Amino acid sequence: MTELPLAPLKRILKEAGATRISDEAVVELAKVLEEYGAEIGKEASKYANHAGRKTVRAEDIQMVIK
């Protein structure tokens, strides 16, 4: 099971234009987002460490996304 709550992810899919969404699709989206988030977090942690900080800040996340 995923750590992300599924209801908000289903809402995101609906807002993106989906009219019907299977439970499996929501779970798969959660898995993908968790994997992507973990990758971003790992890289952001490297930025924070390079800057001599232990705290990951919003700008670290933004740098990774760019």
Side-chain angles (χ1 to χ4, degrees):
M1 198 62 184
T2 65
E3 291 191 37
L4 293 174
L6 300 181
L9 297 178
K10 191 168 189 174
R11 279 195 300 274
I12 289 170
L13 288 169
K14 282 191 179 255
E15 290 172 7
T19 53
R20 295 181 63 189
I21 305 156
S22 71
D23 291 340
E24 294 84 13
V26 178
V27 170
E28 188 61 28
L29 178 61
K31 288 178 186 176
V32 169
L33 291 176
E34 285 180 0
E35 289 174 12
Y36 185 57
E39 290 175 24
I40 291 171
K42 184 177 180 180
E43 290 301 313
S45 179
K46 289 179 186 178
Y47 279 95
N49 287 334
H50 180 72
R53 293 182 274 108
K54 292 182 180 180
T55 303
V56 174
R57 296 182 180 168
E59 58 260 25
D60 299 323
I61 302 292
Q62 293 166 354
M63 291 288 287
V64 171
I65 299 299
K66 290 180 183 180

